[in-house]
Amino acid sequence: MVTIERFDPAGADLGGYHAVLVASQAADRPEEPPLPLAEVAGRLAKPLPGMGPAAHWVARRGDDVVAFAGVHFLDAENSGIGLTDVVVHPGIRRSGIGTALLRAVLPELRARGRKSVEGWQVVAGSDGERWAEARGFRRVRTIERLALVVDETDPACWDVPVPPGYRLRRWAGAAPEDVLGSYAVARGAIHDAPLGDSGFRWPEWTAERVRAAEAEARAQGLVQHLVVAVHEETGTVAGLTEVCVHPRRPDWGYQRDTAVVAAHRGRGLGRCVKADMVRWLLAERPGLRWISTNTGAENTHMIRVNREVGFVTQAAMIAVRQELSRLV
């Protein structure tokens, strides 16, 4: 018999939860190194910046965890979305456990005023996609999951000159005050990146929101590395790229936003800042072995830039969505 219950990561034995995650990843994304237990525990205790508060459920067969569900209650522009992940051990899929977990989650979504449910971690062609389709979810976006594997990449990929009229600037942590305003504007250039039919909306970046995001990252232990391209004539930030590293996993970098202000596109700034980022990270963190990123499949320009600096596609992912009122 399977039972479903709320799950408190702070007071729980995470071994069973971690075992389900590792088995699922091995079945669906075998090309990726598995997440260590310490990293899983850390993410459950403190969700990554921008993810909002979270709630968790597990399904048990006897004393064994066989599946779990988690919801991140996004905020600000995305406060109507419940970002939901349902994971079932590969050995017992297609037995109704995932659907039972989804039913358990729905009352909490309603109680928190969510209007839609989205899932962003579904591997294309997997059991998860077939399950989501059968539950009435529709595909709203296709995502390429890429990785730069340091030992398998030709360092010549990172030998990229700075375009004339620009200079590069780096920092870890808080943005310097003298570029804070233009840096916030440049972050807003990500709004041009397509999102398909997802209900998600990019943040509206201001100087105050930048400082709040930096504080949240510090509280989580994340180290933000920024490389920006500064326009020499105006002294403003024209493009940027960000990679975060956590002490729990010093061998892994998490590529976050890369954006170039519209007036400065077509000059190779995206490739330039990303290449410089890799050089900087490897000089500062010689143990770094892997940098991961997700890019919308329709964003062909950024996929090309990623590949030019050594990223290769690891998996095709999809985002799915359904209105909460239509989930029964």
Side-chain angles (χ1 to χ4, degrees), residues 274-326:
K274 288 176 80 76
D276 189 73
M277 173 66 79
V278 178
R279 293 197 302 269
W280 178 31
L281 286 172
L282 293 181
E284 294 284 321
R285 299 176 175 272
L288 192 75
R289 304 265 61 87
W290 184 286
I291 303 173
S292 62
T293 188
N294 294 323
T295 305
E298 66 274 31
N299 194 349
T300 55
H301 170 72
M302 187 53 64
I303 289 174
R304 177 177 56 78
V305 169
N306 283 328
R307 289 176 177 162
E308 286 173 346
V309 296
F311 284 84
V312 295
T313 299
Q314 299 289 309
M317 312 289 290
I318 63 170
V320 297
R321 181 185 184 192
Q322 183 55 285
E323 303 311 309
L324 185 59
S325 61
R326 300 185 65 180

Side-chain angles (χ1 to χ4, degrees), residues 80-82 84 102 106 109 114-119 132-140 197-199 319-328:
I81 298 174
T84 304
L102 181 60
L106 294 181
L109 290 164
R114 303 293 133 161
K115 303 300 182 185
S116 65
V117 183
E118 294 203 17
E133 186 179 70
R135 303 285 78 75
F137 287 88
R138 63 190 185 280
R139 181 192 292 214
V140 293
D197 292 328
S198 169
V320 297
R321 181 185 184 192
Q322 183 55 285
E323 303 311 309
L324 185 59
S325 61
R326 300 185 65 180
L327 283 172
V328 295

Side-chain angles (χ1 to χ4, degrees), residues 47-124:
L48 293 174
M51 298 297 286
H56 305 276
W57 291 256
V58 294
R60 297 183 188 272
R61 179 174 284 173
D63 294 330
D64 297 329
V65 176
V66 295
F68 62 81
V71 180
H72 289 274
F73 299 96
L74 304 181
D75 52 19
E77 298 89 350
N78 299 297
S79 58
I81 298 174
L83 184 58
T84 304
D85 196 19
V86 177
V87 177
V88 180
H89 192 287
I92 57 169
R93 290 175 179 173
R94 295 177 294 278
S95 60
I97 295 174
T99 303
L101 277 166
L102 181 60
R103 287 196 189 101
V105 167
L106 294 181
E108 185 75 13
L109 290 164
R110 295 188 185 100
R112 299 210 190 195
R114 303 293 133 161
K115 303 300 182 185
S116 65
V117 183
E118 294 203 17
W120 299 346
Q121 296 295 318
V122 182
V123 177

Side-chain angles (χ1 to χ4, degrees), residues 34-49:
L35 282 173
L37 177 58
E39 177 69 1
V40 173
R43 290 188 186 191
L44 288 171
K46 291 184 177 180
L48 293 174

